[in-house]
Amino acid sequence: MRSAKRQKPRGRLDPSVLPGTHHTRVFIGGSYVETETPVLRYFADVVKQNGYEPIVADEYVMPPVALHDITMYLLHSCRLAIFEASNPSGALMELERTADFGTHCLVLFREQEGYWSQSAMLASLVTQHAGRILLCSYVRPKSMRPIIGKWLATMKKELRKAGYAK
Amino acid sequence: MPSKRRPARGVRLPCGIRYSVWYTGQVKKAPAREILAAIQKSGQASGELRSMSATQYARALVDDAAYFLPRKLLAYFQQQEYPTEFDRALEYLAAMPTSGVRILVREPHDDTEHVENKR
């Protein structure tokens, strides 16, 4: 049964009322600095246009002391996740936890940006969880539209095979 | 009918800027177009980057700047004039926080292009 969004003051959403269902929600993770947020919003729009519900933690009301806990709760509420990993951020903590939650992940990073080309830790994590995590670099954000669409379509097939509705 | 003003014969025009850029652990010194082309063709570049021409890459950097630059910084850059769009693109790329490119020095670059009046 679908849940409705409920607006909190200042336009932030109530995390106790999430849209969609567990297998139709896609957590959108990344850095929320000013230079990264537009890309996250673009990816969220692409997810929405593909019939899924993007969950962007920054859109939900949460007291600063509970930021980690509520964000992990949001992540756990989603079967799928897309991470923008060009900039080191708390998203790495979230990515690490997806192993516990069984979340299927698409990890995107902007080419020539330095971090992925330097982090053997992250490359190792992706290799070990290759059945669950897909890694993709991009130059232009819009080039990720077909990649995201194709990945969501693949996830949909797997969900049907596993016996989920829709 | 107004006549076109032309520079006197033999006058040299400045042809742009030569940049000293820190990238992939080295300092490179070249005009903007050459630097962008070198970034594209580097060993780390993916298919998407290599498939672009230098012009396409420069245009992509400028068109996508709103995603990767702070709004006020982008507004400042958009008010500046640059010799070419390659110079603009390189400035944008170097200003992106997650870019590994940093501009160290900008030097006027005179290619000694002589202008001759046709008569």
Side-chain angles (χ1 to χ4, degrees), chain A residues 34-39 42 84 86-88 110-114 117 137-144, chain B residues 23 39 42 44-46 48-49 52 57 60-61 63-64 66-71 96-100:
Chain A
E34 189 188 351
T35 50
E36 298 291 328
T37 305
V39 177
Y42 176 75
E84 209 295 339
S86 302
N87 209 8
R110 190 170 187 278
E111 204 173 312
Q112 304 291 330
E113 299 302 309
S117 65
S137 70
Y138 68 93
V139 176
R140 309 200 67 180
K142 69 178 186 181
S143 69
M144 289 295 97
Chain B
Y23 175 68
I39 290 172
S42 77
Q44 294 175 335
S46 75
E48 184 184 0
L49 194 54
M52 294 184 193
Y57 183 38
L61 287 169
D63 289 348
D64 291 345
Y67 286 109
F68 304 113
L69 289 176
R71 196 168 27 90
M96 292 177 189
T98 50
S99 160

Side-chain angles (χ1 to χ4, degrees), chain A residues 57-77:
Chain A
D58 194 44
E59 293 178 351
Y60 289 83
V61 64
M62 52 183 91
V65 69
L67 199 146
H68 174 273
D69 293 350
I70 294 179
T71 301
M72 288 300 172
Y73 149 76
L74 292 174
L75 174 63
H76 202 178
S77 302

